[in-house]
Amino acid sequence: MTAAREAAPETSSILIVDDMEENLVALEAVLGSLAHVVRAQSGEEALKAMLRQEFAVVLIDVMMPGMNGFETAANIKGLDQTKDVPIILLTGAAVDPNYAYHGYTVGAADFLIKPFDPWLLRTKVNVFLDLHRKNHQLVEQAEQLKRLLTADGGRPGVVPAVPDPARTSTEPSYDTDHPSYDTDHAAPQEEPDRLAEIVGQLARLEVLLRDADSSGRTGLADRIVELEKAVERLRTACDT
């Protein structure tokens, strides 16, 4: 198994699985410009690769010796570490009509017949790449909010602005413990306003995570609800 090219740690990766070298070369040529591509020439190699690193999507040829594409997909979906990775199954034109149904029953997200349109394949793969990147952004934002709310042992204090990819905040922050801090000229509403902003951020994250339709992300959404309640308690403490 070889990697098509080195990629930055934050870059999403694609796993392509086929026992034929020429098929791997063709897939790499089509998908290499979209993301980091990793090759595997058997189902066993694919499973080992997926346990070593994270992939945004995996493309598997159905007709492989030993562990075929259906068995490989079933094994991927059977592992907690890899069960949420979307799978696209690929097969030749002379195919059993029941192959597509069989592919969906083992957990495949899509099924393509060779020869496929390169533009169509790129479009389908790009959907999963975008979803993978957005999910990581949501998890990162939720972790940032959690760190903000649990800073200083969870004591009410000045909460910095929540990072928002759509805009950059230039509002000043206030350190009430600093000797030069002037309580007569402090902005008394800034802390509640920022807490209100965090509540809004949490609510939006919760909705996005629940819409993503995954048990793991639903659990994260439930934790965000708890964070919303914690922020409300902080707001009440600031208002009294």
Side-chain angles (χ1 to χ4, degrees):
M1 179 177 59
T2 58
R5 56 186 171 85
E6 294 299 321
E10 69 275 13
T11 301
S12 298
S13 296
I14 303 167
L15 178 63
I16 54 176
V17 189
D18 198 308
D19 62 302
M20 304 292 290
E21 175 68 18
E22 58 267 32
N23 291 340
L24 292 174
V25 171
L27 285 171
E28 189 176 320
V30 173
L31 304 174
S33 62
L34 299 179
H36 177 54
V37 177
V38 175
R39 299 183 185 183
Q41 291 189 297
S42 69
E44 291 82 2
E45 279 191 27
L47 290 171
K48 291 177 182 178
M50 296 190 73
L51 292 174
R52 281 196 295 265
Q53 72 178 89
E54 181 179 348
F55 291 97
V57 60
V58 54
L59 289 81
I60 308 174
D61 181 52
V62 169
M63 301 303 293
M64 293 189 297
M67 186 187 299
N68 64 33
F70 296 127
E71 294 168 333
T72 303
N75 281 315
I76 290 172
K77 292 300 179 180
L79 296 174
D80 287 340
Q81 185 175 334
T82 59
K83 64 182 181 181
D84 292 326
V85 180
I87 297 171
I88 298 177
L89 290 176
L90 308 172
T91 189
V95 62
D96 187 318
N98 293 320
Y99 270 19
Y101 173 76
H102 191 183
Y104 294 128
T105 61
V106 297
D110 211 337
F111 193 93
L112 287 178
I113 297 177
K114 305 174 188 175
F116 44 77
D117 183 340
W119 179 87
L120 177 62
L121 178 61
R122 285 171 58 88
T123 300
K124 289 178 177 290
V125 169
N126 243 336
V127 170
F128 294 117
L129 289 172
D130 287 341
L131 179 62
H132 182 258
R133 290 161 184 153
K134 288 175 182 177
N135 284 340
H136 271 268
Q137 290 172 359
L138 288 172
V139 172
E140 183 180 352
Q141 288 178 354
E143 288 300 319
Q144 289 174 343
L145 289 169
K146 182 178 179 180
R147 287 193 294 270
L148 289 172
L149 293 173
T150 57
D152 298 325
R155 292 184 293 105
V158 176
V159 181
V162 179
D164 188 338
R167 59 186 177 83
T168 303
S169 176
T170 57
E171 296 178 1
S173 60
Y174 299 91
D175 184 358
T176 56
D177 295 327
H178 195 279
S180 63
Y181 182 78
D182 185 352
T183 57
D184 293 334
H185 295 86
Q189 294 300 318
E190 178 164 348
E191 182 175 296
D193 289 346
R194 287 184 176 178
L195 289 175
E197 181 181 354
I198 290 179
V199 172
Q201 291 272 354
L202 286 168
R204 288 191 290 274
L205 284 174
E206 179 195 347
V207 171
L208 288 172
L209 287 168
R210 292 194 189 281
D211 288 345
D213 191 22
S214 167
S215 58
R217 287 185 285 274
T218 299
L220 182 56
D222 292 337
R223 292 196 293 272
I224 288 178
V225 171
E226 294 301 318
L227 290 177
E228 289 182 43
K229 294 177 181 178
V231 175
E232 290 293 349
R233 289 196 291 271
L234 285 176
R235 294 181 65 191
T236 301
C238 292
D239 292 338
T240 56

